[in-house]
Amino acid sequence: MKKRGVWLLIGISIVLIGVFLGRFFWQPEPTDLVTHGLERLNAATSFRYSLTQHQWVEGKDRVLTQILGEKDGGNTRVVGQLVGSEVEMIKIGDSTYSKDPFSKKWIRFANAPATQEVFLAELNPLSSLQMKELGEVMLSGQEKVNGEKAWVCQLKPSVQNQMMEVFWTDFEYTLYIRKSDKTLVKAAIEAKNKAKSDPMTMTLEFKDIGKKIDIQAPDI
């Protein structure tokens, strides 16, 4: 009976060790992970985000865009710098409001698709994450984003964004997908200028996903 008890304990220990090692070394399927991460972020009704874009011009690194934004349904508010100029914009439905950096007065553009198209990435950061095909997806490890563990995936997709396709080529994406709920929380995009082959980088970070955010039209 004693030998049976010992062998039973050994068997249970082997099973527990196997389960522990399986969980420790388990890794998700990269393509499914990216697909799920993009779907969860695109389905979010609200979030806050940051967007930073760099471009090399004549051998020098220039910061083209550096903004903070928040989105709630069809409403968006952004503040920061765009090509060296201060920018503050609010989009409420089909109306876009822009604060004049000198007079500090708000200007309203009703039904202004052209204005929204120019600021497509700033007002709609998810537009930079639309892809025709993912291509090969590689799981390159784990990192922390805002203190939370995330899977890191790398891919070279074909993008579904006309503005990006006109000016850029050779896209490379590094996506950070939060382990706790498989939601994409950060994206680093690299590309080359079609005309001069100068490199461009864009970094997007998302937080407060799904939380209540109140965006109101400015008092003009």
Side-chain angles (χ1 to χ4, degrees):
M1 292 294 293
K2 290 183 179 180
K3 288 185 178 180
R4 287 184 179 180
V6 171
W7 283 112
L8 180 61
L9 288 174
I10 292 174
I12 293 173
S13 299
I14 291 173
V15 171
L16 291 175
I17 291 171
V19 170
F20 173 78
L21 291 176
R23 289 183 176 179
F24 185 79
F25 290 106
W26 176 85
Q27 292 184 333
E29 203 287 318
T31 301
D32 291 343
L33 183 62
V34 167
T35 300
H36 190 71
L38 288 167
E39 287 176 349
R40 285 189 65 87
L41 181 60
N42 277 285
T45 56
S46 61
F47 53 78
R48 291 184 170 89
Y49 63 95
S50 65
L51 186 156
T52 304
Q53 184 177 0
H54 291 250
Q55 181 180 345
W56 283 85
V57 180
E58 297 178 351
K60 295 182 179 180
D61 182 14
R62 293 181 57 194
V63 179
L64 292 184
T65 307
Q66 193 166 33
I67 66 166
L68 296 174
E70 49 189 14
K71 196 169 182 66
D72 178 33
N75 301 337
T76 309
R77 175 168 47 216
V78 299
V79 60
Q81 289 198 348
L82 187 65
V83 197
S85 300
E86 296 290 332
V87 61
E88 186 171 355
M89 299 178 69
I90 296 176
K91 178 180 175 293
I92 305 290
D94 292 329
S95 297
T96 301
Y97 303 82
S98 178
K99 180 183 280 189
D100 185 282
F102 303 103
S103 68
K104 304 301 180 182
K105 293 182 178 180
W106 287 95
I107 303 170
R108 178 175 178 262
F109 301 92
N111 301 314
T115 303
Q116 295 172 19
E117 185 173 318
V118 170
F119 297 99
L120 184 61
E122 289 76 18
L123 291 172
N124 181 15
L126 300 183
S127 65
S128 301
L129 300 173
Q130 305 303 314
M131 306 174 191
K132 297 175 185 175
E133 294 181 359
L134 296 180
E136 183 181 7
V137 182
M138 302 291 292
L139 184 64
S140 60
Q142 303 178 41
E143 289 187 25
K144 283 190 175 182
V145 178
N146 294 321
E148 296 182 288
K149 291 182 179 179
W151 295 108
V152 184
C153 294
Q154 295 179 313
L155 58 153
K156 297 180 180 180
S158 57
V159 301
Q160 192 169 1
N161 181 311
Q162 290 184 347
M163 293 290 288
M164 293 176 70
E165 287 181 299
V166 167
F167 298 105
W168 311 103
T169 187
D170 298 338
F171 294 96
E172 296 184 16
Y173 281 62
T174 303
L175 304 181
Y176 300 76
I177 300 167
R178 190 163 55 197
K179 295 183 70 175
S180 61
D181 59 1
K182 306 298 188 295
T183 301
L184 192 151
V185 291
K186 181 180 176 181
I189 304 169
E190 297 181 16
K192 292 182 180 178
N193 183 281
K194 279 189 173 181
K196 298 182 179 180
S197 296
D198 292 327
M200 178 277 292
T201 62
M202 180 189 295
T203 303
L204 294 159
E205 288 197 34
F206 302 90
K207 65 179 183 178
D208 296 336
I209 299 171
K211 292 187 177 181
K212 182 176 176 58
I213 299 174
D214 185 29
I215 301 175
Q216 300 289 336
D219 185 6
I220 60 175

